[in-house]
Amino acid sequence: MSASQTSIAASISDVPTLLVKIFGKDRPGITAGLFDTLAAFSVDVVDIEQVVTRGRMVLCALVTAPPRGLEGDLRSTVHSWAESVKMQAEIISGRGDNRPRGLGRSLVTVLGHPLTAEATAAVAGRITRTGGNIDRIFRLAKYPVTAVEFAVSGVETEPLRTALVTDAAKLGVDVAVVAAGLHRRAQRLIVMDVDSTLIQDEVIELFAAHAGCEAEVAEVTAAAMRGELDFEQSLHARVALLKGLDASVVDKVRSEVRLTPGARTLIRTLKRLGYQVGVVSGGFTQVTDDLKDRLGLDFAHANTLEIAEGRLTGRVTGEIVDRAGKARLLRRFAAEAGVPLAQTVAIGDGANDLDMLNAAGLGVAFNAKPVVREAAHTAVNFPFLDTVLYLLGVTREEVEAADMHDED
């Protein structure tokens, strides 16, 4: 802060001020009417806040006190005006501006379906116990989940995140904690896993159904989950079972892929915001390349099924995309996009996504297994991929307004 700014801030702190609160049924013209009334007393505006909930308004104006001898007239005039418009008024004397916010600024997003009073009380209580203060609360969405955002000061982001995420699963809510600041409005890169994240399916299982080897593929998958095989071993073992399958099945599998609910909305909205979006997958380029074209993605990388003489050979070609590979690709995409790693968001559901989730600025476990939820920065346990938008501060109303504008 410059010397002149410091001087201005100090002078405001010494000035007598009035907090004027108006509350009642919301209707057009209330804000203009209040300030028209105050204008007659030559006061300056220090701060304004207004909230409307279910048609009820609370309008707070912090203004400098009027010239000596006029405060009584201001009070009576404001009360008379409020009564004339069927509102109530409260005026409190004091000095200066709001107290400075504590160091450490975070945004806490809470998702619930429903969002219970018990869960809200627990989140607020935990914020208090960590030394934080709730400065403002704002609803981001009312469906398909209730999403609210708490602006918190007085505690650093990491300890606050640790405290809240620990409680979230017990409370039946999802909680995301990110540092507040200009970076939230900066361009970002969003990178998603594909199977059971961007799409509802496991692509290897779709191919296996056409090859008649679903049970065998499932057995290999189970062995990998038991730790008997690593990802690369299990990938080779499962792909080997597809040997001899006609390459025409690729088009059939593409047509069978089902996007996760909210996937189109998420990507469409991110692209409108100027974000770059990519996918990484332990699945196959035969599907991810198609998704890239269909959805207008900026990046896509996966394993490639080898095809020779019109049939699958039972092998994959090129570098294997495994757990470590996904994290490498996140870094590569970020470098190509010109986006700092701290400005990346990774979304995934499985253990092979963990390195990517931890490398990203924000790692989101989407309907994930407990081990992944516990290790990620935050978790979303609702079957709608577009709920990730709320973690970025985008409201449901903004999404719908943008969709309506495009229809026009």
Side-chain angles (χ1 to χ4, degrees):
M1 185 180 290
S2 68
S4 60
Q5 290 173 320
T6 302
S7 175
I8 291 170
S11 64
I12 291 175
S13 68
D14 294 332
V15 171
T17 52
L18 299 176
L19 175 60
V20 180
K21 182 168 75 171
I22 304 297
F23 49 100
K25 184 178 180 181
D26 183 36
R27 66 180 71 85
I30 297 299
T31 304
L34 172 62
F35 286 98
D36 278 342
T37 303
L38 292 172
F41 296 91
S42 301
V43 298
D44 296 329
V45 177
V46 179
D47 196 5
I48 311 171
E49 288 219 19
Q50 179 174 309
V51 176
V52 178
T53 304
R54 210 182 67 179
R56 307 295 292 183
M57 166 196 277
V58 178
L59 168 61
C60 293
L62 184 65
V63 299
T64 56
R68 186 181 301 275
L70 293 181
E71 183 175 329
D73 290 342
L74 181 150
R75 287 175 174 270
S76 62
T77 303
V78 169
H79 280 287
S80 296
W81 168 80
E83 186 176 348
S84 73
V85 293
K86 297 182 171 55
M87 302 290 280
Q88 293 178 273
E90 180 181 359
I91 303 175
I92 303 171
S93 299
R95 297 191 74 85
D97 198 351
N98 307 308
R99 67 178 184 180
R101 295 176 64 190
L103 296 177
R105 311 283 173 83
S106 301
L107 297 170
V108 178
T109 306
V110 182
L111 310 180
H113 184 64
L115 179 59
T116 65
E118 178 185 11
T120 306
V123 169
R126 175 62 73 176
I127 290 171
T128 300
R129 289 194 294 278
T130 60
N133 183 71
I134 299 171
D135 300 314
R136 190 168 299 158
I137 305 174
F138 178 71
R139 186 178 72 181
L140 297 167
K142 59 183 177 182
Y143 72 90
V145 300
T146 301
V148 295
E149 182 179 272
F150 296 76
V152 177
S153 62
V155 60
E156 294 301 324
T157 299
E158 284 305 320
L160 181 62
R161 175 187 288 154
T162 300
L164 288 173
V165 171
T166 300
D167 290 347
K170 304 173 189 174
L171 299 170
V173 296
D174 293 333
V175 178
V177 183
V178 298
L182 289 175
H183 69 274
R184 201 184 194 196
R185 301 184 184 92
Q187 184 191 54
R188 287 191 176 189
L189 168 69
I190 316 293
V191 177
M192 288 176 275
D193 174 43
V194 176
D195 292 10
S196 298
T197 300
L198 178 62
I199 66 174
Q200 301 176 59
D201 312 282
E202 294 288 329
V203 170
I204 186 69
E205 295 176 2
L206 297 179
F207 277 102
H210 289 282
C213 59
E214 293 170 280
E216 292 89 338
V217 165
E219 185 177 338
V220 175
T221 301
M225 293 182 68
R226 290 194 299 268
E228 297 169 10
L229 299 171
D230 64 22
F231 177 81
E232 184 170 351
Q233 290 173 320
S234 69
L235 175 67
H236 287 305
R238 287 178 290 181
V239 171
L241 295 168
L242 306 179
K243 182 178 180 180
L245 192 61
D246 194 282
S248 64
V249 80
V250 169
D251 288 334
K252 295 177 183 177
V253 168
R254 287 173 174 172
S255 68
E256 292 166 351
V257 165
R258 300 167 299 162
L259 292 174
T260 298
R264 288 188 183 277
T265 300
L266 172 67
I267 294 169
R268 182 174 65 245
T269 305
L270 291 173
K271 298 299 288 180
R272 285 172 176 158
L273 291 169
Y275 291 2
Q276 298 189 59
V277 184
V279 292
V280 291
S281 177
F284 310 111
T285 57
Q286 283 82 358
V287 171
T288 58
D289 287 351
D290 180 62
L291 289 170
K292 181 182 179 183
D293 292 340
R294 286 167 52 195
L295 299 173
L297 304 175
D298 299 285
F299 304 97
H301 202 95
N303 302 302
T304 298
L305 292 169
E306 184 181 66
I307 298 175
E309 299 180 354
R311 294 189 177 277
L312 274 64
T313 66
R315 296 188 294 269
V316 292
T317 62
E319 181 184 359
I320 297 299
V321 179
D322 56 8
R323 175 169 169 168
K326 287 187 174 185
R328 285 196 301 271
L329 286 164
L330 171 72
R331 294 186 177 94
R332 183 193 305 174
F333 293 169
E336 292 178 12
V339 174
L341 201 59
Q343 289 302 113
T344 62
V345 178
I347 310 168
D349 73 297
N352 66 332
D353 297 314
L354 276 174
D355 288 3
M356 175 178 73
L357 297 181
N358 289 327
L362 176 64
V364 181
F366 180 73
N367 291 314
K369 299 171 181 64
V371 65
V372 182
R373 290 201 304 268
E374 291 167 7
H377 297 137
T378 189
V380 170
N381 294 303
F382 303 102
F384 309 104
L385 195 55
D386 54 339
T387 54
V388 172
L389 290 168
Y390 310 142
L391 307 184
L392 305 177
V394 180
T395 70
R396 171 57 60 178
E397 288 79 5
E398 289 170 329
V399 173
E400 292 176 347
D403 286 341
M404 289 179 64
H405 182 270
D406 274 7
E407 289 174 4
D408 295 340

